């Protein structure tokens, strides 16, 4: 059986061999809906920033040489405020009142803040402090020069980025289209959320958790109707799902008599890359592709589905998006309790992490196995327990994925 790392490598290398720059096309979206999307154009400064020498204080623009010895009395010859600058030129002995963000008048070479002055009349002020050349002036183009590339293609649009896009006049932004992800839950026992399960039935929860994970990852989820454990129905739903960029089927991938998903995928021409991964939960995780559609068969147990998505589907969707964070981030914590390893498979189990005594402390949560969503609800992380003999002791370092 392949390891989690090998499985992920297979998923990503198969996707990389199919995905070129034009694979996930670019679309234009309104700036307001761009945060979190993947930028697909590079952004240049359309003007110097700041566009003029700008005061960073409320006070008086003046010639530093005039206040080399203080106090000094200067004549107020005008005002420069944000949105309306003073258009004259200061001469020796003169100053102009200035507000934060306003252009520094020609002839001025420093700003003294209002707190260091004493107003004598409408026309005169006394300067109480010396200022060096350039004080409280942010020079033109110190943040960016017109034509500079200030944002590279391929970024996740963050808070600073959306501000930069606005200030450079991008009302519409080119971003990666969201990959379309079809979700098919399979099982004769499943009923819809608004139905009351009969004695042998349960409500379909995987379609909802998968939809939430797909959307949080940047995909565009399309939940299909539940497929029953019969080849014709399963084939119909899977064929429909194969029209998407990614198809996720849940359930029906174990060794049981009614686990028909792999057969249906094979019938429909999906080239299966693997069917099992040495991990707990999530051993029966299936991956394959047909043309440019990538296909996952995830184990039906609700926590297994969530964990398998996190480990294998999320990276693929991020790759399709041209996102920079394909692998995601593993963090380190100190284990508070002993944890047993399994020499046959790695585990990725629900845990609770808190920051205490200068480090992340991680405790696996009480959890009854791969169907236990209530146990999972106590967790805020998944801890990676390596595949090996023996136990991890309290105080050892472990890796975790924050939820
Ligand atoms: P399977 O992989 O089809 O053998 O399913 C394993 C377990 O997960 C069974 O107990 C199923 O009832 C349960 N299960 C399968 N699909 C879903 C679903 N969509 N929502 C909730 N539980 C499910
Ligand atoms: Mg089933």
């Amino acid at each position: 059986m392949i390891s989690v790392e090998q499985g992920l490598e297979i998923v990503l290398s198969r996707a990389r061999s199919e995905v070129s720059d034009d694979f996930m096309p670019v679309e234009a979206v309104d700036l307001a809906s761009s945060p979190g999307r993947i930028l697909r154009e590079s952004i240049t400064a359309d003007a110097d920033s700041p566009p003029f020498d700008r005061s960073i204080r409320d006070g008086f623009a003046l010639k530093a040489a005039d206040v080399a010895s203080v106090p000094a009395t200067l004549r107020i010859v005008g005002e420069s405020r944000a949105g309306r600058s003073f258009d004259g030129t200061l001469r020796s002995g003169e100053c102009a009142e200035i507000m934060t963000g306003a252009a520094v008048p020609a002839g001025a070479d420093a700003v003294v803040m209002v707190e260091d002055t004493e107003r004598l009349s409408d026309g005169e002020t006394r300067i109480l402090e010396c200022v060096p050349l350039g004080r409280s002036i942010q020079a033109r183009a110190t943040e960016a020069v017109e034509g500079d590339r200030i944002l590279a293609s391929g970024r996740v649009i963050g808070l600073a980025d959306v501000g930069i896009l606005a200030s450079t006049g991008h009302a519409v932004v080119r971003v990666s289209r969201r990959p379309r992800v079809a979700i098919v839950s399979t099982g004769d026992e499943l009923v819809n959320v608004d139905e009351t399960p009969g004695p042998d039935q349960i409500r379909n929860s995987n379609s909802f958790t998968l939809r939430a994970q797909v959307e949080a990852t940047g995909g565009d989820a399309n939940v299909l109707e539940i497929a029953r454990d019969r080849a014709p129905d399963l084939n119909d739903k899977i064929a429909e799902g194969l029209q998407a960029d990614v198809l996720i089927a849940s359930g029906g991938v174990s060794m049981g008599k009614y686990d028909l998903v792999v057969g249906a995928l094979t019938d429909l021409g999906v080239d299966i890359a693997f069917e099992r991964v040495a991990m707990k939960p999530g051993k029966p995780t299936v991956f394959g592709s047909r043309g440019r559609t990538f296909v996952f068969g995830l184990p039906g147990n609700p926590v297994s589905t969530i964990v398998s998505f996190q480990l294998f589907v999320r990276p693929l969707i991020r790759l399709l998006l041209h996102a920079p964070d394909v692998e995601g981030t593993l963090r380190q914590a100190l284990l508070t309790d002993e944890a047993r390893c399994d020499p046959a498979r790695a585990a990725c189990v629900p845990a609770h992490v808190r920051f205490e005594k200068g480090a992340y402390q991680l405790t696996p949560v009480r959890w009854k196995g791969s169907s236990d969503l209530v146990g999972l609800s106590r967790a805020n992380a998944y801890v990676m327990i390596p595949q090996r003999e023996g136990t991890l002791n309290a105080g050892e370092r472990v890796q975790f994925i924050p939820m």
Side-chain angles (χ1 to χ4, degrees):
M1 223 185 312
I2 59 169
S3 68
V4 174
E5 292 75 18
Q6 288 168 327
L8 181 59
E9 189 45 44
I10 291 169
V11 170
L12 295 181
S13 61
R14 192 175 278 197
R16 282 195 187 103
S17 67
E18 292 294 338
V19 175
S20 55
D21 262 4
D22 62 326
F23 173 60
M24 195 50 61
V26 168
E27 66 181 7
V29 295
D30 283 346
L31 179 59
S33 57
S34 73
R37 302 293 297 266
I38 310 301
L39 184 66
R40 288 288 290 282
E41 58 182 317
S42 72
I43 301 296
T44 51
D46 65 334
D48 289 346
S49 176
F52 42 75
D53 290 351
R54 176 159 68 188
S55 177
I56 59 167
R57 293 269 189 265
D58 297 318
F60 292 89
L62 43 67
K63 291 182 184 293
D66 285 349
V67 295
S69 75
V70 286
T73 300
L74 299 180
R75 207 152 56 79
I76 305 170
V77 296
E79 176 188 271
S80 186
R81 58 186 172 108
R84 185 177 302 175
S85 55
F86 173 71
D87 53 12
T89 301
L90 291 192
R91 286 171 307 190
S92 187
E94 295 179 345
C95 67
E97 202 169 355
I98 195 162
M99 320 300 155
T100 301
V104 176
D109 54 26
V111 170
V112 62
M113 55 186 185
V114 69
E115 294 89 327
D116 294 333
T117 66
E118 186 184 348
R119 186 101 178 196
L120 300 176
S121 67
D122 273 358
E124 269 188 336
T125 189
R126 181 179 289 147
I127 310 296
L128 307 173
E129 296 288 338
C130 303
V131 284
L133 271 179
R135 168 60 56 87
S136 299
I137 296 176
Q138 189 185 17
R140 174 176 184 156
T142 41
E143 294 168 356
V145 177
E146 181 179 343
D148 275 358
R149 195 180 76 164
I150 45 179
L151 294 178
S153 178
R155 295 170 62 87
V156 180
I157 298 177
L159 200 49
D161 304 342
V162 81
I164 288 172
L165 290 162
S167 43
T168 51
H170 291 83
V172 167
V173 189
R174 293 163 65 73
V175 298
S176 295
R177 168 168 81 67
R178 295 162 169 296
R180 288 192 255 280
V181 182
I183 294 167
V184 186
S185 281
T186 75
D188 280 347
E189 76 281 30
L190 301 178
V191 300
N192 287 317
V193 60
D194 51 359
E195 293 173 65
T196 304
D200 296 323
Q201 297 178 320
I202 58 165
R203 293 194 182 92
N204 167 20
S205 60
N206 292 350
S207 289
F208 289 88
T209 57
L210 285 170
R211 177 203 288 269
Q213 285 181 295
V214 166
E215 298 281 337
T217 304
D220 177 10
N222 177 23
V223 174
L224 308 186
E225 275 172 34
I226 295 166
R228 299 307 171 188
D229 294 322
R230 283 178 291 277
D233 190 41
L234 205 51
N235 287 26
D236 280 357
K237 304 274 162 51
I238 286 177
E240 187 184 347
L242 284 168
Q243 305 308 308
D245 300 309
V246 181
L247 163 62
I248 307 172
S250 94
V253 287
S254 307
M255 303 304 278
K257 192 170 158 193
Y258 298 99
D259 290 329
L260 306 174
V261 167
V262 173
L265 293 174
T266 311
D267 286 352
L268 290 162
V270 173
D271 174 16
I272 305 283
F274 60 78
E275 293 181 41
R276 296 274 177 277
V277 179
M279 62 180 276
K280 187 170 70 178
K283 186 165 84 166
T285 290
V286 177
F287 171 69
S289 59
R290 190 182 81 173
R292 283 175 158 190
T293 298
F294 300 95
V295 183
F296 291 92
L298 304 186
N301 267 313
V303 180
S304 311
T305 311
I306 290 172
V307 169
S308 281
F309 180 98
Q310 175 69 33
L311 295 180
F312 300 104
V313 188
R314 183 201 164 280
L316 175 93
I317 293 176
R318 298 305 282 172
L319 186 117
L320 298 185
L321 279 164
H322 299 258
D325 54 1
V326 170
E327 270 88 9
T329 353
L330 279 178
R331 305 237 180 105
Q332 297 228 327
L334 301 176
L335 201 55
T336 61
D337 301 41
E338 190 178 275
R340 204 201 316 262
C341 300
D342 181 339
R345 47 194 182 145
C348 175
V349 296
H352 190 267
V353 176
R354 65 190 184 285
F355 193 78
E356 209 176 276
K357 297 181 199 140
Y360 287 113
Q361 312 279 343
L362 181 143
T363 311
V365 297
R366 209 154 38 80
W367 180 59
K368 300 286 180 211
S370 51
S371 63
D372 186 6
L373 285 172
V374 178
L376 183 68
S377 74
R378 298 186 190 107
N380 62 3
Y382 309 97
V383 57
M384 312 298 293
I385 307 287
Q387 175 180 355
R388 66 166 169 83
E389 301 281 348
T391 54
L392 295 174
N393 299 318
E396 277 197 60
R397 261 177 214 293
V398 283
Q399 295 193 302
F400 71 92
I401 306 170
M403 270 182 199

